Amino acid sequence: MYALRIVDDADVAEDMVQEAFMNTWERLEGGLEISNFKAFMYRSVRNECLSYLSSLKEKVGEEFIPEAGEEEIDTSFRDARIWKAIDELPEKCREIFLMSKRDGYSNEEIADELGISIKTVKNQMTKAFSRLHEALNSGHKPFFLPFL
């Protein structure tokens, strides 16, 4: 998500993340010690993306390159945290949550689709919101949960 915000192309973003991981792997095998791996990887991905944009700028001209401001980068961090928390939900809970929030199904539609009761759907949604709140509440209120 972070790379995608910078380069605005899913395929290129995947390539940039893969390249950052490969470079980091090679550096680790060469003896590099990393104290904060997460921060190091974000910085590596950012650098790969900026290198890509820089090379693209030379090829097509500066006016065609989208700017990635601090707001977009902050949004990428937030989005990554949200998706990581969603991925950590139990399987059925995650499925019900995504059907509701991503796909726009009503509780009744989810219950019909999965062959479960509406009460089970509501319980799973409550469980999902509770777990997401716990996972995302690290020192600040997650203002975006009510909008999910």
Side-chain angles (χ1 to χ4, degrees), residues 80-100:
R81 285 183 67 213
I82 291 170
W83 282 107
K84 182 176 186 285
I86 291 170
D87 286 344
E88 291 173 354
L89 290 172
E91 185 180 343
K92 271 298 185 194
C93 186
R94 179 178 59 244
E95 180 181 14
I96 291 168
F97 179 80
L98 291 174
M99 287 177 78
S100 174

Side-chain angles (χ1 to χ4, degrees), residues 39-54:
F40 183 87
M41 286 310 303
Y42 271 106
R43 181 61 67 180
S44 296
V45 168
R46 179 182 175 274
N47 290 343
E48 288 294 331
C49 291
L50 293 178
S51 292
Y52 167 78
L53 291 175
S54 179

